[in-house]
Amino acid sequence: MSTRADILIVGQGLAGTLLAWELERAGISFEVIDAGHEHAASGVAAGIINPITGRRLVKSWRVDQWLPTARIAYREIEQALGLPLWRDVRVRRFFADDRERRVANEKYGRGELAPYVEAAPDETGLWIGGAGQVDVPSLLARARAHWQMMGRLREETLGDLADQANAYHLVVDCRGVAGARGKDFAFVPWEFSKGEIIAVQVAGLPHDVVLNRGHWALPVTDGSAWVGATHQPSFENLAPTAAARKELEASAAALLSRPFSVTGHFAGVRVNLPDKRPVAGRHPASERLGIMNGLGAKGALWAPMLARQWVNHLTKGVPFDPEITGERFWQTG
């Protein structure tokens, strides 16, 4: 065992922040290395937890089990860091066409949307309850300051994780895109998508309602909102594009139904997996390397429970959920 902290977390996006929080809560010694949040998905994340998503109106994976854990975790972090992070919201989902309307009515009739949809869909859409929104930028900034003050966070870039394995009991890669493009977990079939959002000035939006039809509109403060997000699997660079802005402005006009002006335009890159599941756990061939990545657009929901699984594994020897470990790709990689 090194004289340094027991565990090194590489990357302080949403994954690294939640993991560090759970380690601190459990009394486990750790350090964090992070080079900054430029172009990271966490840096522009809306933090929306929507229980029912997609054209087929399906429940988010593990939402029934993991949503209560997420809500509790963010509330606890709120109290510890002294700032509001969690907001209970409802989602007004507008139907894109008659097919979505039929699917919604059929699934509601079979009880498949319970307990999140309590009333029958109307002609234009349905209401999804039990949703939440996390102020991810504020969480990352305040947590960063907290660990810098404690001497636990260093701002630097780390290349090869294996080079750090001898200095720490465990090195956990939470770098998102940078980690997925590294060599240590190259056997995982990572996928990437560029997402863009716009910030708008707009008056009169209910603070607890997220509007959704293809894209979403999220009230941020009185008089401002975010509209997003695009999904672009192929992209040449990480800069915001005129095409995405035009697409998002059209959605803003349809969703907001009132005058607005664009005040900002941002882009980030999500890391996804073909099976739409995250990756967390130890490297199949190296016990001293670990990972927590591939959160895609579900990071606010998944990160607290993945971090909790890490702590349960470290303190009690509990195995990781086999649906999230890298071993599911190791056999065929």
Side-chain angles (χ1 to χ4, degrees), residues 202-287:
V202 60
L205 294 180
H207 191 60
D208 63 344
V209 174
V210 177
L211 306 173
N212 182 287
R213 180 170 54 206
H215 296 121
W216 43 256
L218 170 72
V220 180
T221 61
D222 292 338
S224 68
W226 292 345
V227 179
T230 60
H231 292 266
Q232 186 179 354
S234 300
F235 49 93
E236 296 181 355
N237 58 65
L238 303 180
T241 63
R245 174 164 174 160
K246 182 178 179 180
E247 178 183 347
L248 292 171
E249 286 184 355
S251 289
L255 287 169
L256 301 176
S257 300
R258 66 195 71 198
F260 67 92
S261 59
V262 178
T263 58
H265 184 190
F266 312 96
V269 179
R270 310 176 192 87
V271 181
N272 312 291
L273 278 300
D275 59 6
K276 311 302 181 185
R277 305 285 188 265
V279 176
R282 295 182 187 266
H283 193 291
S286 178
E287 283 290 299

Side-chain angles (χ1 to χ4, degrees), residues 150-161:
M150 297 176 66
R152 285 185 164 179
L153 188 145
R154 307 196 311 272
E155 292 188 350
E156 60 184 76
T157 300
L158 182 66
D160 190 354
L161 299 186

Side-chain angles (χ1 to χ4, degrees), residues 67-266:
L67 179 54
T69 297
R71 183 181 287 109
I72 292 171
Y74 291 119
R75 290 295 194 193
E76 290 176 346
I77 298 173
E78 281 186 328
Q79 295 180 7
L81 297 182
L83 80 165
L85 294 173
W86 177 273
R87 178 173 29 147
D88 290 310
V89 298
R90 297 181 298 157
V91 177
R92 177 55 176 172
R93 169 65 181 266
F94 295 104
F95 298 134
D97 49 36
D98 288 337
R99 177 185 173 278
E100 280 194 11
R101 184 181 298 106
R102 289 195 301 271
V103 169
N105 280 287
E106 290 170 1
K107 291 196 170 186
Y108 176 79
R110 295 194 297 264
E112 295 181 21
L113 305 181
Y116 307 106
V117 178
E118 298 180 353
D122 56 36
E123 284 300 308
T124 61
L126 53 79
W127 284 96
I128 302 170
Q133 190 264 333
V134 181
D135 186 347
V136 175
S138 293
L139 168 60
L140 300 189
R142 183 65 66 88
R144 190 180 195 85
H146 170 69
W147 290 316
Q148 284 177 323
M149 183 178 64
M150 297 176 66
R152 285 185 164 179
L153 188 145
R154 307 196 311 272
E155 292 188 350
E156 60 184 76
T157 300
L158 182 66
D160 190 354
L161 299 186
D163 292 342
Q164 300 293 323
N166 293 328
Y168 297 88
H169 179 66
L170 175 68
V171 178
V172 185
D173 193 344
C174 299
R175 290 178 296 172
V177 175
R181 288 178 172 166
K183 68 177 184 178
D184 299 289
F185 289 89
F187 63 90
V188 178
W190 306 108
E191 296 178 346
F192 306 96
S193 66
K194 181 180 178 181
E196 300 185 42
I197 66 172
I198 57 174
V200 301
Q201 184 175 355
V202 60
L205 294 180
H207 191 60
D208 63 344
V209 174
V210 177
L211 306 173
N212 182 287
R213 180 170 54 206
H215 296 121
W216 43 256
L218 170 72
V220 180
T221 61
D222 292 338
S224 68
W226 292 345
V227 179
T230 60
H231 292 266
Q232 186 179 354
S234 300
F235 49 93
E236 296 181 355
N237 58 65
L238 303 180
T241 63
R245 174 164 174 160
K246 182 178 179 180
E247 178 183 347
L248 292 171
E249 286 184 355
S251 289
L255 287 169
L256 301 176
S257 300
R258 66 195 71 198
F260 67 92
S261 59
V262 178
T263 58
H265 184 190
F266 312 96

